[in-house]
């Protein structure tokens, strides 16, 4: 109906142009929004406010002209001019109930669209260094990135999920040295232990498996340990594969999968990094100072130039990032979404400057970047800071093991990604209405229970009969639910467009609240619950709650959260 109302308004605007009231040169496509308050109708448009200036008329006068042109429509019970010139549309009962039929017709595809036209988009997320277990911050990035991928797929984009492994550089050298020290019996409490080595118990596990000559299978290769504690290169290769496998297992437990695992080391092996350096030098975007090679990032808005190659010959960390993103562009990804931790904020401008300096056609707005803030983990009033296994932080696996995948994913998705968040372990594990994921899943299970109850009572479920009697749904609670589920497609579209999965989580909590409120209606009347003596009314209500169940399921799927049939 929203699209229908928009088409009516477009026709009315065209007629105003035909009549010479609005100049032909004015380009405007009517926009209609869902109202926030039912007293303002079902839909509203500010078209008259936009047209008032070019028409040289007061907005309310333009609104009246539009209303007159629209005339009486069977789908609209009332049109109302409000405030400075908004037009509010009140749907007829028959039109309002049409959304139930639409949900049933589209089922799991309700809310989906083809806005992306099957164009390719790459979403990079998590991209943790393979130097230790994934922490809760990686988990937040994993959820946000995966939900973004699901939203983009739901809106018609062809999504490639990619994980970038930083398997080269100083951190990997520190990892190898840490494992070698453990192989040689050196512990963090010994004087020989260096401050930048990794101290978690997992390092001891890696060292023991290396000495035992075990094999590990990572995403793209198998490595068998040599067992020689003097072979630092072999230790480093085994440790990276070992921890990549560990991270893969954590992500699978989290229901996060990737299409591509990209290794930083391949950029060195394939000569991509040297090619980038040569291109930047040849184009005059670099200079040498104090034995180092600098990139003129100030030419592209940075506050100061940045070292690209250090005086010892090693590259700074942002140079491989430039080469990696140039690789993405060359692979044909005209759209890329990067989901990073907030600590990457300063890197973005440097990488962008390098990409522009390459002069290979990359737009200034490419890639799109979503940053997530830190997560504080609490148990009651006490902050949880470390994991025994990791030694210095809370791991993702710790959280999943304690509260489960669904609660972990929902809580990490439910806040705007650029906001700091507190993860309350006790709330996430609770089975109360205060726990939002439990509250939403219980709404889905409650509907499933109603259908089971019909069978227990020996009654048939006839949704077709229900769809034929939707005019019987006249309660305020029923109209509220119909209005709420009608908002879902627009909400999915907006969440994908603005890269904001948290709005889906908020919407589901509101829909669950409306459903639970509907369940409580008429405690002492025929309207009690949904299974009533009047069979036509009963089936109509079942058709309604079945549509709500479908929307709950579709929304939870976008968050990677299950929709249980019983709890």
């Amino acid at each position: 109906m929203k699209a229908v109302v928009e088409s009516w308004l477009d026709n009315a605007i065209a007629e105003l142009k035909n009549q010479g009231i609005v100049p032909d040169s004015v380009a405007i496509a009517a926009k209609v929004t869902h109202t926030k308050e039912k007293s303002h109708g079902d839909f509203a448009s500010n078209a008259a406010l936009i047209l008032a200036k070019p028409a040289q008329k007061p907005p309310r006068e333009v609104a009246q002209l539009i209303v007159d042109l629209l005339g009486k429509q069977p789908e609209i019970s009332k049109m109302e001019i409000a405030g400075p010139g908004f037009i509010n549309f009140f749907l007829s009962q028959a039109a309002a109930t049409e959304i139930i039929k639409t949900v049933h017709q589209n089922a799991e595809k309700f809310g989906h669209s083809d806005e992306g036209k099957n164009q390719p988009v790459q979403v990079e997320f998590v991209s943790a260094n393979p130097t230790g277990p994934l922490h809760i911050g990686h988990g937040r990035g994993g959820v946000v990135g995966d939900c973004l991928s699901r939203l983009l797929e739901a809106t018609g984009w062809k999504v490639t999920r990619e994980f970038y492994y930083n398997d080269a550089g100083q951190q990997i050298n520190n990892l190898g040295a840490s494992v070698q020290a453990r192989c040689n019996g050196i512990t963090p409490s010994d004087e020989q232990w260096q401050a930048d080595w990794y101290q978690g118990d997992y390092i001891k596990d890696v060292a023991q498996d290396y000495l035992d000559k075990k094999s590990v299978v990572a995403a793209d290769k198998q490595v068998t340990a040599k067992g020689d504690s003097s072979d630092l290169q072999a230790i480093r290769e085994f440790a990276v594969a070992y921890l990549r496998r560990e991270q893969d297992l954590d992500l699978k437990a989290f229901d996060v999968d990737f299409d591509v695992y990209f290794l930083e080391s391949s950029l060195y092996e394939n000569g991509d990094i040297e090619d980038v350096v040569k291109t930047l030098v040849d184009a005059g975007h670099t200079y040498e100072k104090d034995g180092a090679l600098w990139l003129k990032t100030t030419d592209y808005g940075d506050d100061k130039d940045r070292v690209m190659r250090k005086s010892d010959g090693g590259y700074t960390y942002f140079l491989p990032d430039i080469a990696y993103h140039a690789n993405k562009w060359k692979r044909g990804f005209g759209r890329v979404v990067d989901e990073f931790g907030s600590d990457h904020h300063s890197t973005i401008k440097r990488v962008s400057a390098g990409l522009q300096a390459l002069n290979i056609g990359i737009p200034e707005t490419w890639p799109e970047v979503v940053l997530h803030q830190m997560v504080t983990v609490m148990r009651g009033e006490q902050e949880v800071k470390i994991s025994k296994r990791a030694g210095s932080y809370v791991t993702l696996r710790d959280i999943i093991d304690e509260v489960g995948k669904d609660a972990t994913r929902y809580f990490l998705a439910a806040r705007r990604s650029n906001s700091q968040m507190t993860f309350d372990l006790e709330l996430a594990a609770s089975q109360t209405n205060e726990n939002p994921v439990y509250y939403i899943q219980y709404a889905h299970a409650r509907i499933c229970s109603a259908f089971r109850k019909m069978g227990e009572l020996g009654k048939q479920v006839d949704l077709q009969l229900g769809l034929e009697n939707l005019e019987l749904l006249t309660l305020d609670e029923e109209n509220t639910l119909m209005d709420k589920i009608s908002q879902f497609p627009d909400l999915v579209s907006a969440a994908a467009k603005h890269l904001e999965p948290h709005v889906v989580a908020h919407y589901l909590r509101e829909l669950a609240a409306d459903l639970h409120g509907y369940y409580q209606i008429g405690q002492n009347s025929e309207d009690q619950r949904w299974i009533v003596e009047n069979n036509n009314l009963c089936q109509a209500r079942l058709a309604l709650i079945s549509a709500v169940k479908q929307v709950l399921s579709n929304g939870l799927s976008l968050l990677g959260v299950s929709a249980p049939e019983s709890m």
Side-chain angles (χ1 to χ4, degrees), residues 126-139 163 165 175 198-206 239-240 242-251 386-399 401:
V126 182
S127 295
N129 297 333
T131 54
L134 297 177
H135 55 62
I136 188 61
H138 295 134
F163 190 122
Y165 276 112
L175 172 66
Y198 296 96
Q199 300 187 22
D201 284 353
Y202 69 94
I203 295 294
K204 180 173 62 177
D205 297 337
V206 177
V240 167
Y242 183 104
L243 291 168
R244 284 184 60 196
R245 180 193 63 183
E246 290 293 299
Q247 292 182 356
D248 290 347
L249 292 174
D250 285 346
L251 291 169
I386 64 171
S387 159
K388 181 178 186 299
R389 183 162 181 266
S392 58
Y393 55 84
V394 182
T395 70
L396 174 60
R397 181 58 67 90
D398 290 335
I399 304 298
D401 289 346

Side-chain angles (χ1 to χ4, degrees), residues 12-30:
I13 293 169
E15 181 58 29
L16 290 175
K17 290 182 179 181
N18 288 337
Q19 296 178 13
I21 297 172
V22 175
D24 282 336
S25 59
V26 175
I28 173 176

Side-chain angles (χ1 to χ4, degrees), residues 15 43 145 156 179 234 240 243 280 285 354 384 399 408 410 527 531 538:
E15 181 58 29
F43 303 119
V179 176
V240 167
L243 291 168
L280 294 174
H285 294 300
V384 182
I399 304 298
T408 304
Y410 182 89
D527 291 330
I531 302 173
C538 177

Side-chain angles (χ1 to χ4, degrees), residues 142-168:
V143 168
V144 174
D146 186 55
C147 291
L148 288 175
S149 300
R150 292 168 185 255
L151 282 166
L152 290 167
E153 286 174 334
T155 50
W157 290 85
K158 185 178 181 181
V159 177
T160 297
R161 296 164 168 83
E162 188 150 317
F163 190 122
Y164 176 62
Y165 276 112
N166 298 99
D167 65 332

Side-chain angles (χ1 to χ4, degrees), residues 309-328:
R309 186 174 59 211
K310 295 177 287 188
S311 57
D312 64 5
Y315 293 117
T316 53
Y317 62 89
F318 80 93
L319 181 61
D321 287 346
I322 296 173
Y324 173 46
H325 280 80
N327 178 282
K328 295 184 186 187

Side-chain angles (χ1 to χ4, degrees), residues 138 301 405 421 481 496:
H138 295 134
K405 171 185 75 73
M421 72 165 294
L481 280 171

